[in-house]
Amino acid sequence: MFRPRPRTRRGLHRGVLAEPRRDGRRDARPAADWGMPDDPLSDLSAFLSGGEADGADPDVTPFAGGETFDIGSVELEAVHMPGHSAGLSGFAFDGRDGEEVFAGDALLPYYTPNVGGADVRVESPLAKYLDTLAGIVERGYTRAWPGHRGVIVDPPGRAADIVDHHRERTERVVDVLREGPATPWEVSAALFGGLRGIHILHGPGEAFAHLDHLREAGVVARDGTAYELVDPDADLDALFPDVSAHLRPGWRPVH
């Protein structure tokens, strides 16, 4: 067992404001690495410096996906669902008419979980999240119980909607780069406009996640903090799981 660090906003986003590491590892990726200007960087620093949580730090026992927990009337199976955060876990169980899942923030009913800024420790955040969504589709849960709002009655359909949303957002990112090289901060500004509070982190983090996904596929190249489009005719559909059979006609997630 181990004891986590103090629960401040800065602690939850450790490494965001640090200086870049010489070995280039992304677990200490700073906001400045996304091309964030000084003023919003200062605002973000002030925001992350507040919010000390009350109470003692918990003791934590790690577990792995596939482990089961007998809690009396039901058995829960741990399901690793990374992307929004590194260790996000769901818990699957036999429900009234099929398998259901406590999905946490991996699957939300009305808006899409942030990818890239919510937890800067995640390597290849969009790729990992797409794998999580594809896993939700494949398992065919009959209900999902999210970390926010009400029950999701068609988890595979909702997961497919979010995959489609990220496919569309990736195309918008490519369109921004057709105008010339841009940093994650500049791409974020084109996608989301002005940002405040935690969204100063989440906006460019989301832009970074999509740029990183494109870089890993060879569609864009990185030079310093800027990304340049090098394959303008790339097949973007190939970068996403095929969930077309589960899309819900007319449904548009809140982006």
Side-chain angles (χ1 to χ4, degrees):
M1 299 206 305
F2 64 94
R3 185 172 295 277
R5 296 181 180 274
R7 293 173 294 164
T8 62
R9 289 169 178 162
R10 184 184 292 272
L12 290 171
H13 298 91
R14 185 171 176 80
V16 173
L17 304 174
E19 290 300 315
R21 286 171 50 154
R22 292 182 180 179
D23 62 10
R25 291 180 59 188
R26 283 188 44 233
D27 58 356
R29 182 177 71 247
D33 200 35
W34 298 339
M36 187 180 294
D38 290 342
D39 286 348
L41 188 60
S42 177
D43 291 344
L44 179 62
S45 178
F47 178 85
L48 295 180
S49 295
E52 183 76 46
D54 295 329
D57 292 329
D59 290 326
V60 178
T61 302
F63 56 85
E67 291 190 38
T68 57
F69 304 90
D70 186 350
I71 60 172
S73 61
V74 67
E75 183 178 80
L76 300 178
E77 176 196 346
V79 182
H80 192 201
M81 295 180 161
H84 175 68
S85 62
L88 198 157
S89 298
F91 295 92
F93 61 96
D94 290 332
R96 292 181 301 177
D97 51 5
E99 190 175 44
E100 303 183 22
V101 64
F102 294 113
D105 283 2
L107 195 70
L108 300 176
Y110 301 118
Y111 52 92
T112 57
N114 181 261
V115 180
D119 186 346
V120 299
R121 301 169 301 172
V122 183
E123 297 282 347
S124 305
L126 182 54
K128 283 187 170 62
Y129 188 49
L130 292 172
D131 285 344
T132 289
L133 294 170
I136 292 171
V137 171
E138 181 178 353
R139 288 192 65 155
Y141 300 111
T142 58
R143 291 182 186 83
W145 301 86
H148 305 269
R149 305 295 182 92
V151 63
I152 299 170
V153 297
D154 180 11
R158 177 58 180 150
D161 291 339
I162 297 177
V163 171
D164 189 52
H165 154 76
H166 282 293
R167 164 63 179 81
E168 291 182 4
R169 176 159 290 171
T170 298
E171 187 167 3
R172 292 178 64 197
V173 170
V174 169
D175 286 343
V176 172
L177 296 185
R178 292 187 193 279
E179 303 298 320
T183 66
W185 178 261
E186 291 166 338
V187 172
S188 171
L191 295 177
F192 310 119
L195 301 170
R196 298 178 60 185
I198 194 61
H199 299 290
I200 297 173
L201 175 62
H202 285 180
E206 182 94 14
F208 167 80
H210 287 79
L211 290 164
D212 186 59
H213 195 54
L214 289 165
R215 181 192 59 78
E216 290 179 343
V219 180
V220 307
R222 180 174 177 175
D223 183 8
T225 60
Y227 292 77
E228 180 181 5
L229 183 63
V230 295
D231 186 0
D233 300 318
D235 179 9
L236 299 184
D237 289 337
L239 308 184
F240 295 84
D242 182 4
V243 294
S244 56
H246 297 274
L247 288 171
R248 298 177 292 178
W251 177 265
R252 303 293 299 175
V254 178
H255 294 356

